[in-house]
Amino acid sequence: MTTLAGLNILLVEDDVMLRKRIAAQLERLGADVTTAENLQIARQHLADLDFEFVLLDVNLPDGLGPDLLREKVFARTPASS
């Protein structure tokens, strides 16, 4: 059986039932799961905690999941001179 022990995962999903089911499955595999139902909460979690993996819905109530990904990737990319 695959184990995700010790892996910190942020799950961003607005559908409450789907979010609960995915989180439960990841936790059964040993992951530490933090959930967010929208981008605002996801941004707060990303500012406060470290994650090895983010599972991100595309269409969220307050924007698009890929926009959050772009924000975080570009925030970590050093500016070229």
Side-chain angles (χ1 to χ4, degrees), residues 4-63:
L4 301 177
L7 191 64
N8 294 316
I9 298 175
L10 174 60
L11 169 60
V12 186
E13 171 59 60
D14 59 322
D15 182 298
V16 66
M17 292 306 295
L18 185 56
R19 185 172 64 246
K20 286 180 180 182
R21 292 180 74 188
I22 293 170
Q25 183 63 24
L26 292 170
E27 289 168 347
R28 271 194 291 278
L29 294 171
D32 295 318
V33 181
T34 301
T35 63
E37 63 264 18
N38 59 47
L39 294 175
Q40 179 182 359
I41 295 170
R43 285 183 185 102
Q44 291 170 347
H45 288 316
L46 287 167
D48 296 339
L49 303 167
D50 291 321
F51 298 97
E52 286 82 29
F53 188 79
V54 177
L55 186 58
L56 187 59
D57 190 3
V58 174
N59 294 308
L60 294 156
D62 57 346

